[in-house]
Amino acid sequence: MENKEYAGFWIRCGASLIDMVVLIIITVVPLFFIYGDAFFIEDKNIHGIWDLLFSYILPFVGTIWFWLKYRATPGKMATKLEIVDALTGNKMSTGQAIGRYFAYIISTVPFGLGFIWIGIDKRKQGWHDKLAGTVVIRNLHKESVQFETSANK
């Protein structure tokens, strides 16, 4: 694949930070308006149907949809990254996307080692990538610079 490379730990970390900001805006802000201060103060796992919808179902459906439609989340799109099938370089399957989503749990649980593995692996795959059979690639295609000609020289 011309003008592509495996995406490393730090660029993927930046993409994840962008995704977190987007996720907070589309989940926490509406939940605050629905539940008020109780959403932050009360010690409940789920505050109600809207919490279940915005905190669990919407992120799951949204993430899978972005992965299948654009091969990336908003953070990955902003950093010019794509998630593709590790064998073919083509779009991942729905099964791979769902498996990758739940494999994040496995990458997270042992002190985030599955994510740190990205910095060690030769193909820059985290454990969730390995389990789902995906890789994250970075588009290095550079846009050419063009200037308008100036009439007033």
Side-chain angles (χ1 to χ4, degrees):
M1 290 186 135
E2 189 176 309
N3 294 318
K4 308 262 187 201
E5 70 179 9
Y6 295 117
F9 176 82
W10 290 112
I11 191 75
R12 290 175 69 172
C13 186
S16 293
L17 289 174
I18 294 168
D19 288 335
M20 271 196 264
V21 170
V22 171
L23 197 58
I24 287 169
I25 292 169
I26 64 172
T27 60
V28 175
V29 172
L31 288 171
F32 174 73
F33 285 115
I34 294 168
Y35 297 109
D37 291 335
F39 180 70
F40 299 105
I41 297 170
E42 292 179 5
D43 192 23
K44 293 181 179 178
N45 286 335
I46 298 176
H47 287 75
I49 190 72
W50 292 109
D51 186 17
L52 180 68
L53 178 70
F54 278 94
S55 296
Y56 298 96
I57 297 170
L58 181 67
F60 171 75
V61 171
T63 301
I64 301 299
W65 182 79
F66 268 103
W67 285 349
L68 294 175
K69 175 99 173 144
Y70 300 106
R71 298 182 183 190
T73 56
K76 283 184 175 54
M77 285 189 276
T79 53
K80 297 183 179 179
L81 304 181
E82 284 183 83
I83 307 163
V84 297
D85 180 83
L87 295 176
T88 64
N90 295 329
K91 185 172 101 168
M92 70 177 123
S93 69
T94 302
Q96 283 177 301
I98 293 169
R100 189 176 195 272
Y101 188 89
F102 288 110
Y104 273 121
I105 298 166
I106 296 167
S107 288
T108 303
V109 172
F111 309 109
L113 290 176
F115 296 110
I116 294 169
W117 196 260
I118 295 166
I120 300 168
D121 190 76
K122 68 177 180 166
R123 294 180 75 194
K124 309 296 182 192
Q125 288 178 294
W127 292 351
H128 53 285
D129 291 310
K130 290 187 177 296
L131 289 168
T134 60
V135 291
V136 179
I137 57 174
R138 184 175 183 190
N139 186 353
L140 297 174
H141 179 69
K142 307 288 186 199
E143 187 176 325
S144 61
V145 177
Q146 296 181 0
F147 298 97
E148 292 182 33
T149 56
S150 176
N152 299 333
K153 284 191 175 182

